[in-house]
Amino acid sequence: MHFQLSEEHLMIQKAARDFAQNQCLPGVIERDEKQIFPREQITQLAELGFMGMMVDPKYGGAGMDTISYVLAMEEISKVDASVSVCMSVNNSLVCWGLETYGTEEQKQQYLVPLAQGKKDGELYIGAFLLSEPEAGSDATSQSTTAEDKGDYYLLNGTKNWITNGSSASVYLVIAQTDVAKGSHGINAFIVEKNTPGITVGAKENKMGIRGSDTHSISFTDVKVPKANRIGEDGFGFKFAMKTLAGGRIGIASQALGIASGAYELALAYSKQRKAFGKEIMHHQAIQFKLADMATKVEAARLLCLKSAWEKDNHMDYTISGSMAKVYASEAAMWIATEAVQVHGGYGYVKEYHVERLMRDAKITQIYEGTSEIQRVVISRSILK
Ligand code: CAA
């Protein structure tokens, strides 16, 4: 066992860090305040190969490993979690799901442009539509229906809190075909956003990740060709669970980035701010906060990298991914809150970035499975 990153990993980490500092940092406060989707940044990320990082180059991807993905997610999330959630959903929920379970035709038609992040010179990204107004944690209680009509399915229902809701060109939609079969009656479909019958609701006015584009999406008699179903009939719930297992590594890495970003800001501030005749880093109250922050960041990073390593080595990463997500997201919330405290009054105003990181941290405890759901997954595995 060794804990050193390879030369290639260090290069990817540096590329992501430079991108975050040079392309994401300018304007991040304004994008947050005005809820501006970071289209330019996502387009540049696609040019870097970061929208399909782990996809095989034969399908337009960058062919990198999951460790690289964690490193890039951390660096970008330190600066702008609205950019990184878009990147995470496209990489781990949409591209991974299609590459792993799609047919060759589906991959050629959809995965190739999604992994490149563009089609005909335009931004081309995906969204993952599982949550509903009455089905969040209880994901098997799907009300969206997909009626089998022979050579097509007819979709009806509403999905909520969809990341990339209006900017995505392709939706992966989970819907109930046969309610009598419970989770085995659920299917997953590739649905093009411009299909007649789809309505994109108003953008949600959120506490954090305000640049990310979150909408409800409604389906009224939307015709989806049978060729767009992913996997065998009834595979949809397993598809969602398998896909989310990897997605949780992405969100854990996002939380890690928010945590390490907040820690680094608190550390830098403590070296310049003076109180009672000395820099505040010389006060034990601050030193102990910094020590706890550094320890939690390191623990979160190790959990993320371990889970990524398991995924790269074709091991089961479901539990380690849930552990990484619950730990990193709770660490992010705690560290960002303490970083505001270290900054005192300055921490409460926008220019110092930590209040945004604190607001952004909260969502990492909620989406892609709440902290409570991660504990369900972990406890089931240790108690079976
Ligand atoms: N891998 C493969 N199969 C799995 C699985 C996994 N990780 N987890 C469950 N399954 C299978 C089970 O084996 C079972 O199949 P069998 O009947 O063949 O045994 C079937 O799925 C049903 O599983 P459960 O009985 O365990 O189902 P449950 O109702 O108890 O719920 C749950 C399981 C883990 C709580 C699940 O509902 C869950 O993960 N909920 C959270 C949903 C979630 O994460 N939503 C995030 C929304 S997406 C998002 O946020 C994206 C974004 O935009 C940022």
Side-chain angles (χ1 to χ4, degrees):
M1 178 185 277
H2 64 92
F3 286 94
Q4 246 170 348
L5 294 175
S6 67
E7 283 297 315
E8 198 188 337
H9 286 141
L10 289 169
M11 272 171 51
I12 292 163
Q13 187 181 48
K14 182 173 180 321
R17 187 175 298 153
D18 290 347
F19 170 79
Q21 292 301 320
N22 299 330
Q23 309 300 334
C24 297
L25 190 55
V28 64
I29 294 174
E30 190 190 2
R31 289 196 300 276
D32 170 72
E33 215 161 66
K34 299 185 181 162
Q35 302 190 81
I36 300 168
F37 179 69
R39 183 170 292 273
E40 205 181 302
Q41 286 71 19
I42 301 299
T43 305
Q44 290 164 342
L45 266 188
E47 293 299 324
L48 281 175
F50 281 13
M51 292 304 278
M53 283 188 82
M54 295 164 288
V55 175
D56 191 320
K58 76 175 178 192
Y59 296 120
M64 300 183 208
D65 59 8
T66 317
I67 302 267
S68 306
Y69 175 53
V70 169
L71 297 173
M73 279 295 296
E74 177 182 352
E75 292 305 322
I76 294 163
S77 307
K78 278 184 190 178
V79 177
D80 193 341
S82 294
V83 172
S84 69
V85 68
C86 176
M87 171 179 159
S88 179
V89 166
N90 200 66
N91 273 281
S92 31
L93 298 185
V94 180
C95 288
W96 186 86
L98 284 177
E99 185 170 23
T100 310
Y101 299 109
T103 61
E104 189 56 31
E105 292 71 33
Q106 290 171 346
K107 290 181 197 180
Q108 292 300 339
Q109 189 174 352
Y110 298 107
L111 177 60
V112 171
L114 284 165
Q116 292 173 335
K118 66 175 178 201
K119 189 176 175 182
D120 302 329
E122 296 291 323
L123 185 68
Y124 194 86
I125 58 174
F128 187 80
L129 283 66
L130 171 66
S131 301
E132 298 187 347
E134 304 288 333
S137 291
D138 185 7
T140 55
S141 296
Q142 294 287 306
S143 300
T144 299
T145 52
E147 215 182 319
D148 190 342
K149 294 285 194 183
D151 56 353
Y152 66 91
Y153 286 90
L154 204 57
L155 256 60
N156 280 287
T158 298
K159 296 290 179 179
N160 260 27
W161 309 296
I162 304 306
T163 303
N164 303 340
S166 75
S167 52
S169 302
V170 172
Y171 297 147
L172 301 192
V173 184
I174 314 297
Q176 186 83 53
T177 299
D178 186 347
V179 75
K181 290 187 181 160
S183 71
H184 296 270
I186 291 174
N187 278 307
F189 303 94
I190 306 165
V191 184
E192 296 185 26
K193 188 180 120 197
N194 58 12
T195 314
I198 294 180
T199 310
V200 178
K203 186 168 180 164
E204 299 290 354
N205 186 3
K206 306 191 296 292
M207 170 198 276
I209 55 160
R210 289 172 55 77
S212 100
D213 145 41
T214 312
H215 295 258
S216 62
I217 315 283
S218 297
F219 298 87
T220 309
D221 291 337
V222 174
K223 277 187 177 181
V224 180
K226 214 151 214 179
N228 282 27
R229 191 184 71 209
I230 303 172
E232 292 297 304
D233 185 26
F235 181 64
F237 191 71
K238 280 216 162 62
F239 170 80
M241 291 296 108
K242 290 271 188 199
T243 305
L244 277 167
R248 289 166 185 165
I249 302 177
I251 299 303
S253 313
Q254 180 186 47
L256 164 64
I258 294 170
S260 57
Y263 160 66
E264 286 172 15
L265 288 169
L267 179 64
Y269 182 78
S270 74
K271 290 179 180 174
Q272 58 171 41
R273 171 72 173 174
K274 286 190 177 148
F276 303 102
K278 52 189 177 186
E279 287 82 14
I280 61 172
M281 68 172 174
H282 296 298
H283 295 291
Q284 199 179 55
I286 302 298
Q287 290 170 350
F288 281 13
K289 282 189 198 303
L290 293 171
D292 286 344
M293 287 181 189
T295 307
K296 285 177 193 285
V297 166
E298 191 62 15
R301 189 177 287 128
L302 289 173
L303 282 169
C304 289
L305 290 172
K306 159 104 177 336
S307 193
W309 177 84
E310 286 181 358
K311 184 163 181 281
D312 288 336
N313 285 283
H314 313 291
M315 296 157 75
D316 187 354
Y317 51 88
T318 312
I319 307 309
S320 62
S322 282
M323 286 179 174
K325 183 178 183 290
V326 70
Y327 185 83
S329 61
E330 293 187 357
M333 195 67 238
W334 185 85
I335 292 169
T337 308
E338 288 297 85
V340 170
Q341 193 70 17
V342 169
H343 281 75
Y346 290 108
Y348 206 66
V349 295
K350 293 190 186 291
E351 291 93 299
Y352 285 77
H353 298 287
V354 281
E355 66 81 35
R356 186 184 70 259
L357 293 174
M358 182 177 154
R359 288 185 284 107
D360 288 353
K362 187 62 206 169
I363 191 61
T364 65
Q365 295 177 298
I366 297 172
Y367 57 22
E368 297 203 22
T370 60
S371 292
E372 291 74 14
I373 288 299
Q374 306 312 324
R375 289 185 168 92
V376 167
V377 172
I378 297 162
S379 59
R380 279 183 183 178
S381 86
I382 57 182
L383 295 172
K384 70 180 177 203

